[in-house]
Amino acid sequence: MSDDRSLDRKKAVPVIVGDPKDLLIVCGLAGASKDMAHLTNDGDNIFTMAGAMGGATAMGLGLALSRPDKKVLVVTGDGELLMNVGTLATVGILKPANLSILCVDNGHYGETGYQESHTQRGVNLELIAQGSAIPNTRTIDREEQIPEAKKILRDSNGTSFILLKVNTEPPPSIKRSMDATERKVAFRRALLGIA
Amino acid sequence: MMSEYGGQETWQEDLYSLLRSNGVKLFCYVPDGGHKTLINRSIEDPEVISVPLTTEEEGVAMCAGAHLGGTKSVLLMQSSGVGNCVNMFALIKNGQFPFVTVVTMRGEFGEMNPWQVPMGQGVQPVVEAMGMHCLRAETPEEVSPTVQAALDMAYKSNQSVAVLLTQKLIGAKPF
Ligand SMILES: Cc1ncc(C[n+]2csc(CCOP(=O)(O)OP(=O)(O)O)c2C)c(N)n1
């Protein structure tokens, strides 16, 4: 197992995700929401959180089951995912082909002062995803692996899970809406034409 | 009618039909004896998505995600599961998501397992503290109208509602 954490999330996440316009995106609190709000300019195809820790993957799963015609991307942190890591098992029994999960693993609870998380101490979320019967999993810790990660995330051949190992550089700073009701309404209006 | 635990097929069948006729398509649950018929119907029904959860909390977030995509859902759980959901109710409240959970109650009328009592007693204060409505069905006749009321409150008024199927209704499990 490689312990390399040299990638910077501010560079790696935008390249892996690519053009976010055709995706429906759900993000866990803290860094993941900042990464993606920055990339999408807090657009109407993204629902970010600043709480409900542990809920991002399940929320993305609900959206993916509801809209099999759309690619759904969950972006989450190692801490957020660990809080309800059992959700990977729920994903694994269903394996929606339109669901991709990107875990930005900095090995720390960054938002709360960079305390070490379990992944910094030997816990491997890719193996947990594999053991949860998620068909396409990959750990990415070098720049040259990024095109492959991008391909896996975009492919619709069963659920994919990318563990992106990054250093402790902070996420981009962005002023995003914290009004979940307003964001929900905008998301549904853009997707469904109704509030 | 004080039914034998698990012998509630008639009103459960009616409840399943009611949920389906209201357009509910996503059924998520952690298995519970009191929900047996509903769970089995959802598994057998090719028109719905039936999802067993590892914890009830997942179901709360899943239902919110399904709403983003335009799908109506219901979360089935027993009273202990409410305790597993509390922080995720913040997502429902902040986003004013329509949300219906049907909760089979333990720890009240005639309970014989002391482990069910604390969370059973906590259900109503906890869901109300999180800004949800709490409706109770005490008799088989009350079940359908109560769940219909919950669906209307949720999907027409953006409310979150817990329907408690009380232990008087479902009967106490013998220990
Ligand atoms: C239930 C709950 N417990 C604790 C917190 C405090 N908290 C906020 S962000 C966070 C860490 C998130 O870590 P991670 O997902 O790895 O993201 P990072 O900050 O590293 O980007 C924690 C513990 C919380 N918001 N909710």
Side-chain angles (χ1 to χ4, degrees):
Chain A
M1 193 183 82
S2 153
D3 273 335
D4 196 5
R5 290 189 190 276
S6 58
L7 293 173
D8 181 340
R9 65 194 298 152
K10 286 200 283 296
K11 290 195 187 118
V13 171
V15 182
I16 289 182
V17 174
D19 184 354
K21 272 200 222 54
D22 57 328
L23 301 168
L24 301 178
I25 303 163
V26 175
C27 299
L29 84 180
S33 275
K34 292 174 192 169
D35 291 328
M36 294 306 294
H38 188 261
L39 185 63
T40 59
N41 201 21
D42 207 10
D44 290 347
N45 62 334
I46 176 170
F47 189 90
T48 66
M49 300 189 208
M53 185 168 172
T57 304
M59 191 176 192
L61 175 61
L63 178 57
L65 295 173
S66 168
R67 293 306 301 253
D69 56 321
K70 297 270 182 186
K71 189 79 183 171
V72 174
L73 175 66
V74 170
V75 184
T76 178
D78 44 311
E80 208 274 345
L81 184 56
L82 282 163
M83 188 160 281
N84 257 327
V85 77
T87 304
L88 292 177
T90 304
V91 169
I93 58 169
L94 298 167
K95 305 178 184 43
N98 62 329
L99 177 64
S100 298
I101 301 163
L102 172 62
C103 177
V104 184
D105 178 0
N106 61 3
H108 291 79
Y109 295 92
E111 181 79 18
T112 48
Y114 284 93
Q115 300 85 355
E116 276 193 351
S117 83
H118 301 54
T119 64
Q120 187 72 2
R121 301 171 65 177
V123 173
N124 185 324
L125 284 166
E126 191 209 354
L127 290 181
I128 295 176
Q130 260 175 32
S132 303
I134 293 181
N136 307 309
T137 72
R138 210 63 106 240
T139 295
I140 303 297
D141 54 17
R142 294 190 317 275
E143 208 170 327
E144 56 271 26
Q145 299 170 313
I146 287 181
E148 192 198 355
K150 181 171 181 169
K151 197 171 165 297
I152 294 168
L153 274 193
R154 292 284 172 161
D155 276 357
S156 290
N157 235 339
T159 309
S160 58
F161 176 91
I162 300 288
L163 185 70
L164 174 65
K165 289 191 164 193
V166 298
N167 60 28
T168 50
E169 284 299 307
S173 51
I174 160 123
K175 213 166 158 42
R176 63 183 161 113
S177 170
M178 296 280 195
D179 183 341
T181 304
E182 178 266 322
R183 292 286 75 213
K184 173 199 74 175
V185 169
F187 193 104
R188 281 171 52 88
R189 194 161 276 145
L191 179 64
L192 306 164
I194 50 170
Chain B
M1 179 194 73
M2 182 69 196
S3 59
E4 194 189 317
Y5 195 84
Q8 329 105 8
E9 278 71 13
T10 315
W11 62 259
Q12 287 249 334
E13 297 285 359
D14 293 346
L15 177 52
Y16 188 73
S17 306
L18 180 88
L19 291 163
R20 292 292 292 118
S21 66
N22 275 269
V24 172
K25 245 198 92 176
L26 174 66
F27 289 73
C28 21
Y29 60 90
V30 172
D32 178 63
H35 281 311
K36 198 170 120 194
T37 306
L38 227 49
I39 290 169
N40 288 343
R41 286 295 163 274
S42 75
I43 293 170
E44 293 155 5
D45 186 346
E47 306 280 305
V48 307
I49 308 165
S50 177
V51 181
L53 308 163
T54 67
T55 169
E56 292 81 357
E57 187 181 10
E58 287 173 10
V60 179
M62 269 190 74
C63 290
H67 179 68
L68 282 185
T71 297
K72 289 185 186 170
S73 58
V74 67
L75 171 58
L76 310 175
M77 60 176 152
Q78 70 153 267
S79 43
S80 313
V82 172
N84 287 352
C85 295
V86 182
N87 186 47
M88 211 50 67
F89 289 152
L91 169 64
I92 300 295
K93 185 170 186 185
N94 267 355
Q96 290 175 28
F97 283 94
F99 175 70
V100 176
T101 179
V102 181
V103 182
T104 45
M105 288 303 292
R106 301 289 309 273
E108 41 176 43
F109 196 83
E111 179 61 60
M112 295 178 232
N113 177 359
W115 292 89
Q116 290 286 355
V117 177
M119 197 58 236
Q121 285 183 305
V123 166
Q124 184 151 357
V126 163
V127 302
E128 287 178 348
M130 294 308 291
M132 295 168 63
H133 300 270
C134 196
L135 307 178
R136 293 173 67 90
E138 305 270 359
T139 65
E141 296 71 39
E142 280 176 6
V143 173
S144 282
T146 308
V147 174
Q148 184 63 58
L151 290 164
D152 288 340
M153 289 161 80
Y155 288 103
K156 297 195 170 138
S157 296
N158 283 340
Q159 301 297 301
S160 57
V161 191
V163 176
L164 311 191
L165 303 180
T166 61
Q167 203 151 11
K168 217 175 207 167
L169 170 73
I170 59 173
K173 184 177 180 177
F175 269 86

